Amino acid sequence: SEMRGWGGENLDQSLRSWLCGGEIMRAPSSRIAHMWRTKDPRTRAHYKQHNGAVIVNKRRVVAAWFGPFQALYDREQMGSAGDSDHLDLSGIEDVQRRMKCKPFVHFLHRFRDIYVEAAVIPTSVFQLREVSSGLCLAKASYGGLISLETCGPGGEEGHKEQLFHLANRIGRGRGTALRGGRSSDGHSCCSGIRLWSNHACLDYADNMGVHDYLCDVTGQNQNQQYRLGEDGFIVHGDKCLAPGQKRPNVENARLTDLKNCRLLRGNEGRWEKLGEFEPLEARLYKSELEKEGLQDPAFSQP
């Protein structure tokens, strides 16, 4: 009852359905349209939208449903809307008690084909250093480009622009980041490389170099097929990720390029992981699985 206007209520409705004994079904014959506001009076809004309503509503969803996963909530990204401790959650908490709603980990486990098999929750995160240059793979500050820069601090509190992990499901008949198409523990990840805590994956290349783009978690996007082999080469089709042209006006930095693997010499285009670690989201997921008696082969306890 404390939701304001619109925005974020869809998240509450979804989690309330899946965690409280319901499910959401799609009718194959359904048709959905969106009506844009125009000068036509028939499209005029019949309600008043509160300033900051979307931010407050999302904060309410996180505080009410995420449990321990609330630690992952990025306050800087969501903006300032007051501390979640001061939100009145009594209405949602009453619903949770009445309907015996389950903790958030059940939602993640129910949709593990996305969160686990597409590595939205990665098992490990790392920097990637190109051996011949000694520079680290990074998201450039402009143009959606992937570049090579001086390696910064690693680890969970390190340079977010230089932290990557394997991601995206393995599409049928596609090249993969795990040799053989399926891992030994039976889950279907990974076919690409993703920036940690980001929606961007390595994608297409043009005359400027390799770009990042919104990840396709299904693994069907051919542009995002990047396989990190045991030999240290990152293969994309019949080409390998390697240093490209120098970045203009940036000292000791280069762009990246896709080059013929057979023409690479020495350690050019060979990558090594630095500072590999298990991120907080993986630790929380494992801990909550154990509490709830759930099993996940990708996160099996030692």
Side-chain angles (χ1 to χ4, degrees):
S1 63
E2 294 296 324
M3 285 286 188
R4 303 178 186 177
W6 62 266
E9 79 285 350
N10 57 314
L11 304 175
D12 176 74
Q13 291 165 0
S14 176
L15 292 173
R16 188 180 301 219
S17 296
W18 290 108
L19 294 176
C20 302
E23 58 183 11
I24 299 173
M25 306 293 289
R26 179 180 65 87
S29 60
S30 63
R31 296 291 183 270
I32 300 174
H34 184 87
M35 182 177 69
W36 294 100
R37 306 292 180 203
T38 69
K39 294 180 180 179
D40 189 321
R42 292 174 297 177
T43 67
R44 185 170 55 241
H46 297 282
Y47 56 85
K48 182 178 180 180
Q49 179 69 354
H50 300 273
N51 289 335
V54 175
I55 294 173
V56 173
N57 288 348
K58 287 182 178 180
R59 189 177 292 280
R60 287 181 57 80
V61 171
V62 171
W65 296 104
F66 277 32
F69 291 91
Q70 186 175 346
L72 301 171
Y73 182 60
D74 188 345
R75 296 188 179 189
E76 291 184 7
Q77 180 179 338
M78 301 304 296
S80 176
D83 196 300
S84 58
D85 292 340
H86 297 103
L87 295 173
D88 181 5
L89 303 175
S90 57
I92 299 179
E93 290 169 348
D94 179 60
V95 169
Q96 291 170 335
R97 284 191 295 269
R98 257 189 309 111
M99 302 189 71
K100 297 181 173 58
C101 301
K102 296 178 179 179
F104 183 58
V105 70
H106 285 265
F107 178 83
L108 300 176
H109 188 262
R110 167 64 177 78
F111 295 103
R112 69 178 304 281
D113 59 325
I114 297 173
Y115 291 101
V116 176
E117 293 188 358
V120 175
I121 303 175
T123 56
S124 68
V125 177
F126 42 79
Q127 290 171 288
L128 284 167
R129 181 169 62 189
E130 201 273 332
V131 178
S132 70
S133 66
L135 300 176
C136 279
L137 199 66
K139 178 178 173 63
S141 57
Y142 68 96
L145 290 164
I146 297 296
S147 66
L148 285 170
E149 302 175 2
T150 300
C151 297
E156 204 151 20
E157 301 301 322
H159 255 325
K160 289 293 191 292
E161 296 82 4
Q162 294 185 2
L163 295 175
F164 293 84
H165 60 87
L166 304 184
N168 302 340
R169 286 176 58 86
I170 296 173
R172 293 181 180 178
R174 311 292 187 181
T176 68
L178 287 175
R179 298 188 177 198
R182 181 172 287 269
S183 64
S184 59
D185 57 25
H187 70 285
S188 302
C189 187
C190 307
S191 63
I193 297 176
R194 178 173 179 158
L195 277 148
W196 182 49
S197 280
N198 199 299
H199 297 300
C201 286
L202 271 60
D203 200 274
Y204 71 99
D206 58 17
N207 60 353
M208 288 293 293
V210 177
H211 293 250
D212 65 69
Y213 193 71
L214 184 69
C215 294
D216 173 16
V217 297
T218 69
Q220 300 300 311
N221 186 344
Q222 282 293 284
N223 284 340
Q224 294 184 5
Q225 306 296 313
Y226 285 84
R227 175 172 58 84
L228 175 58
E230 296 174 2
D231 54 9
F233 289 100
I234 297 177
V235 180
H236 178 78
D238 60 352
K239 295 185 177 181
C240 287
L241 184 68
Q245 59 186 301
K246 290 184 177 181
R247 278 184 60 181
N249 305 319
V250 181
E251 187 177 355
N252 198 27
R254 307 180 71 91
L255 295 175
T256 51
D257 199 3
L258 293 175
K259 299 180 178 180
N260 188 320
C261 300
R262 295 181 180 180
L263 299 180
L264 297 177
R265 294 293 179 264
N267 284 322
E268 182 185 11
R270 191 185 298 274
W271 303 83
E272 58 184 3
K273 295 179 182 179
L274 296 181
E276 190 169 6
F277 65 93
E278 182 181 52
L280 175 59
E281 55 266 38
R283 302 196 302 271
L284 287 172
Y285 185 63
K286 286 200 304 185
S287 173
E288 291 299 295
L289 285 175
E290 186 175 21
K291 288 180 184 177
E292 294 299 307
L294 299 171
Q295 299 293 322
D296 193 316
F299 287 87
S300 57
Q301 297 287 346

